[in-house]
Amino acid sequence: SERMEGGVGTFNNSSALMEKGVDSTQMSSDTTNRLIHQRAHTLQKLLHRHYVEEASDVVFAGVNRVTDATWLREKIGLWSENTLYDVCYRLRLVDDNDIGFSTIDTAEQLGCTRRDLLTSIIIYHQSS
């Protein structure tokens, strides 16, 4: 399981985990949870820096609360559409400057409002 290359030990994680009786799907779930919490924390830091007054409920909430899609959707509903777009833009989820992409056109094609599209994008990003 362990081999030496140039004096540096490399480690084969999957076989080592199997030897220790650790379920690799559990590790995958732990990794997913860590990523979701990291994204929630990143969102909170961004909001604290740029929109602390408008989004204070999200800024000062616990990470578990921010990862709750229903709660987050309710709080996002209180933000202006410009704030919502800017948050999505700063998280690099959307960019209306990209050629051939516009959140307004995409929302129209999907038969929803731009606000609904942006809300769905950020909720999906925060929960997956």
Side-chain angles (χ1 to χ4, degrees):
S1 291
E2 190 174 21
R3 51 181 195 172
M4 299 295 286
E5 291 181 23
V8 177
T10 59
F11 201 71
N12 183 337
N13 285 335
S14 61
S15 63
L17 293 174
M18 298 280 247
E19 289 171 10
K20 293 182 180 182
V22 176
D23 182 8
S24 62
T25 53
Q26 179 63 38
M27 294 300 292
S28 183
S29 176
D30 289 346
T31 302
T32 301
N33 287 335
R34 191 172 22 253
L35 178 63
I36 289 171
H37 279 78
Q38 180 182 11
R39 287 181 179 178
H41 186 67
T42 300
L43 175 64
Q44 287 178 305
K45 287 189 330 188
L46 185 150
L47 293 172
H48 186 266
R49 175 171 284 182
H50 299 285
Y51 298 104
V52 71
E53 290 178 21
E54 187 172 1
S56 63
D57 287 347
V58 178
V59 170
F60 299 112
V63 173
N64 284 331
R65 176 78 66 155
V66 178
T67 61
D68 177 352
T70 303
W71 182 87
L72 186 59
R73 184 178 297 275
E74 178 185 318
K75 298 307 173 189
I76 288 173
L78 302 174
W79 304 349
S80 72
E81 188 173 317
N82 288 337
T83 297
L84 179 55
Y85 175 81
D86 190 57
V87 169
C88 287
Y89 178 81
R90 288 176 188 270
L91 290 171
R92 294 182 173 92
L93 301 176
V94 298
D95 186 354
D96 281 352
N97 297 318
D98 284 347
I99 296 172
F101 177 81
S102 159
T103 53
I104 295 169
D105 293 341
T106 302
E108 192 175 288
Q109 290 171 357
L110 294 172
C112 64
T113 65
R114 181 178 186 229
R115 172 179 276 288
D116 289 342
L117 174 65
L118 294 171
T119 300
S120 294
I121 289 170
I122 197 167
I123 295 293
Y124 180 78
H125 177 260
Q126 292 302 124
S127 64
S128 61

